[in-house]
Amino acid sequence: GLEGQTFTGRWVFSSLYAPPPKNPRYHHLLQHFKGWVVQTPLATFDAEAATFMDFRVAQQGSVRFGYVLPFDARTALVEYTLFSPELLSPEAYDAGLREYLEGVLGLGNYRILETEFGIIPMTDAPFIRRPSPHVMNIGMAGGRTKASTGYTFQRIQQQSRRIAEALAQTGQPFYPEPAFRRHALMDSVLLNVLEKQRSSGPKVFADLFRRNPPQRVLRFLDEETGWLEDLQIMASVDIPAFAKAALDVLNMRLQRARLGEMPAKRG
């Protein structure tokens, strides 16, 4: 109940996120970030261009980058983002933001208007989509976050459409998922590369964007590429590092199968 009231319904859609338990046969990273909306006294930013992944910050043993989303020539959201298993101290995010703003972007004079902080799971561990017969986990709680990037928004829109179609066609919100998804397998391989530090984060993403048109990379990250484009993407990365990661991922899947663990189905 809520404030003494009780609500009933045929279906419950829950977005209450709970991290999956740590399991050495899956990958567990976090994407965590702090951002400031800053304003400068003079025109500083290109309002027509966003900075996507700027690796000109000290990596310090993890994947770290900045990005800039301008609102206008004087105002922008500036983020300091990490991929790592653990969070930093609050002071470390501020230090990273100052390093990026002042040391990399060269801003000596700026005012902080707003602050944000977030944590996104980057894991191929399974999420339970149907915890009980009439409850459906949605969004991040239902495994809609892409394991290798943390992207969630567009995938939530896809899930919402599938739920609406299922309700219209069958009277219930659940819909079938494919038994094998190659993009999920590639997510696991990339997570393995990053988690085991088989290749540095800057090199991985620089190779992707240097050796492919940006449209192909973005389609790949949105899981909209076909087999041919996937092969072109795979040919552009550090092949020895990714081959070792692929073997490790296959071994982890075999271990899970021997132990009878459920596959990493994501909503």
Side-chain angles (χ1 to χ4, degrees), residues 5 130 157 167 173 182 197:
Q5 300 181 70
R130 192 171 191 167
Q157 313 313 306
L167 285 167
R182 69 181 187 280
Q197 298 185 346

Side-chain angles (χ1 to χ4, degrees), residues 118-160:
I119 306 168
I120 301 172
M122 297 177 66
T123 179
D124 52 4
F127 286 78
I128 297 174
R129 194 165 59 133
R130 192 171 191 167
S132 64
H134 292 269
V135 177
M136 183 177 190
N137 285 339
I138 59 173
M140 187 181 292
R144 293 307 297 169
T145 297
K146 184 169 172 61
S148 62
T149 63
Y151 294 172
T152 310
F153 182 80
Q154 184 172 342
R155 294 160 65 87
I156 289 175
Q157 313 313 306
Q158 295 167 351
Q159 184 189 45
S160 299

Side-chain angles (χ1 to χ4, degrees), residues 10 42 49 72 77 85 89 98 105 154-155 175 181 185 197 204-205 212 216 226 250:
R10 185 177 180 188
L42 302 175
D72 55 50
L77 171 63
S89 68
R98 285 193 296 270
L105 300 182
Q154 184 172 342
R155 294 160 65 87
Y175 52 86
R181 290 176 48 240
L185 176 60
Q197 298 185 346
V204 168
F205 290 101
N212 296 279
R216 180 189 298 155
L250 291 174

Side-chain angles (χ1 to χ4, degrees), residues 8-262:
T8 61
R10 185 177 180 188
W11 304 106
V12 173
F13 300 94
S14 173
S15 61
L16 299 175
Y17 173 75
K22 291 289 182 71
N23 183 328
R25 290 172 293 282
Y26 293 98
H27 303 90
H28 299 271
L29 288 176
L30 298 172
Q31 179 175 160
H32 42 119
F33 53 89
K34 186 168 186 177
W36 290 341
V37 176
V38 300
Q39 189 173 74
T40 58
L42 302 175
T44 302
F45 306 105
D46 180 351
E48 301 299 318
T51 301
F52 184 45
M53 298 178 86
D54 191 342
F55 285 101
R56 293 177 297 169
V57 296
Q59 296 297 289
Q60 302 180 52
S62 57
V63 180
R64 304 182 186 218
F65 56 89
Y67 64 85
V68 182
L69 301 176
F71 301 136
D72 55 50
R74 294 180 50 225
T75 313
L77 171 63
V78 181
E79 296 278 350
Y80 180 64
T81 304
L82 299 89
F83 300 166
S84 66
E86 305 294 339
L87 302 180
L88 304 180
S89 68
E91 299 79 16
Y93 297 99
D94 293 340
L97 275 165
R98 285 193 296 270
E99 174 199 346
Y100 183 55
L101 281 161
E102 299 166 17
V104 176
L105 300 182
L107 301 185
N109 188 4
Y110 56 87
R111 186 162 61 99
I112 301 171
L113 303 181
E114 299 177 35
T115 298
E116 71 168 18
F117 180 78
I119 306 168
I120 301 172
M122 297 177 66
T123 179
D124 52 4
F127 286 78
I128 297 174
R129 194 165 59 133
R130 192 171 191 167
S132 64
H134 292 269
V135 177
M136 183 177 190
N137 285 339
I138 59 173
M140 187 181 292
R144 293 307 297 169
T145 297
K146 184 169 172 61
S148 62
T149 63
Y151 294 172
T152 310
F153 182 80
Q154 184 172 342
R155 294 160 65 87
I156 289 175
Q157 313 313 306
Q158 295 167 351
Q159 184 189 45
S160 299
R161 284 193 294 272
R162 296 290 301 276
I163 290 172
E165 290 168 358
L167 285 167
Q169 294 169 8
T170 67
Q172 53 83 41
F174 297 95
Y175 52 86
E177 290 286 349
F180 172 75
R181 290 176 48 240
R182 69 181 187 280
H183 286 102
L185 176 60
M186 290 186 283
D187 280 345
S188 295
V189 173
L190 179 54
L191 284 178
N192 189 278
V193 168
L194 298 177
E195 190 175 88
K196 302 294 179 66
Q197 298 185 346
R198 300 184 190 279
S199 185
S200 72
K203 176 173 172 52
V204 168
F205 290 101
D207 285 347
L208 281 175
F209 281 97
R210 184 183 297 119
R211 299 174 181 173
N212 296 279
Q215 294 86 350
R216 180 189 298 155
V217 178
L218 294 175
R219 281 198 302 273
F220 177 74
L221 297 178
D222 284 336
E223 301 186 359
E224 295 176 352
T225 47
W227 281 100
L228 177 58
E229 286 188 304
D230 287 347
L231 290 172
Q232 292 170 320
I233 289 282
M234 287 187 282
S236 68
V237 298
D238 183 343
I239 292 176
F242 276 75
K244 291 177 182 176
L247 289 173
D248 198 16
V249 166
L250 291 174
N251 183 53
M252 293 165 76
R253 289 193 168 203
L254 287 172
Q255 290 179 32
R256 299 199 300 263
R258 284 197 297 267
L259 293 169
E261 295 179 358
M262 63 183 290

